[in-house]
Amino acid sequence: MSDKLLPTLLAILIVVVLFALVWWGWRGRIRRQSDVPQLPQAPVDLLDRLVTRADGMYVVTTYTAQPLERIAIHGLGVRSNAEAIVAEDGVLINRQGAQDVYIPREQLRSVATASGMVGKFVERDGLVVFTWELGDTVVDTGFRARNGEESRELENAASALVSTP
């Protein structure tokens, strides 16, 4: 029994140390991103001006200039199930277990599709990517709809917000 105890304890210690290092790194990332402003709040009557909605998954928010740099602050680096809502005022990503991401129409710069973002890669054009201004920072937010038709509707409706004044 003692010949198995030491390797087991060593393996447990290594796993605990690795988790501690990951947690420490994530906390450091959040501290370095303290200049990222708070997320905008959605208007309470947003659903009154609903254009379309899609169930799916919030993927991640990254800096547009640094597509591999995940934004961790405000929970933006954590993937979650979500519902994307496009209304006349902007785009709301209603996330389960995390703060909602609201992109006001005035801050939405462009809408595109991609096959992946840091940490999530899917089929060609499987993600809808919203490029928007969060304060003075330009960011990309990715959303994956449950099916292709909803993804196209979401992209088209959000793109119309960018192209119309």
Side-chain angles (χ1 to χ4, degrees), residues 9-156:
L9 290 176
L10 185 60
I12 291 171
L13 178 65
I14 289 171
V15 169
V16 168
V17 167
L18 288 175
F19 275 111
L21 289 172
V22 168
W23 177 82
W24 185 46
W26 194 256
R27 298 300 304 165
R29 180 182 295 261
I30 290 173
R31 273 193 307 279
R32 287 189 307 274
Q33 296 173 348
S34 62
D35 62 332
V36 174
Q38 288 291 326
L39 296 173
Q41 295 296 313
V44 292
D45 61 346
L46 182 77
L47 294 180
D48 293 344
R49 293 175 299 284
L50 175 74
V51 176
T52 191
R53 65 178 0 139
D55 287 325
M57 177 183 288
Y58 165 83
V59 177
V60 71
T61 296
T62 63
Y63 295 103
T64 299
Q66 298 171 297
L68 299 178
E69 182 70 21
R70 189 183 296 257
I71 298 177
I73 198 160
H74 312 309
L76 292 173
V78 179
R79 196 177 332 174
S80 60
N81 288 327
E83 174 188 37
I85 298 168
V86 177
E88 294 172 6
D89 298 342
V91 178
L92 174 67
I93 301 177
N94 182 10
R95 302 189 298 163
Q96 292 179 5
Q99 183 179 357
D100 293 343
V101 177
Y102 174 62
I103 306 169
R105 178 184 204 152
E106 308 79 48
Q107 295 174 355
L108 186 62
R109 282 190 165 183
S110 66
V111 180
T113 58
S115 61
M117 292 181 76
V118 64
K120 179 74 172 176
F121 292 89
V122 296
E123 75 279 356
R124 184 171 182 233
D125 299 331
L127 297 178
V128 178
V129 180
F130 305 98
T131 301
W132 59 292
E133 298 171 5
L134 179 55
D136 294 333
T137 307
V138 181
V139 298
D140 290 334
T141 297
F143 182 82
R144 171 148 170 80
R146 297 254 184 260
N147 67 56
E149 184 60 34
E150 286 183 344
S151 184
R152 283 185 292 282
E153 287 177 17
L154 182 65
E155 179 192 6
N156 292 338

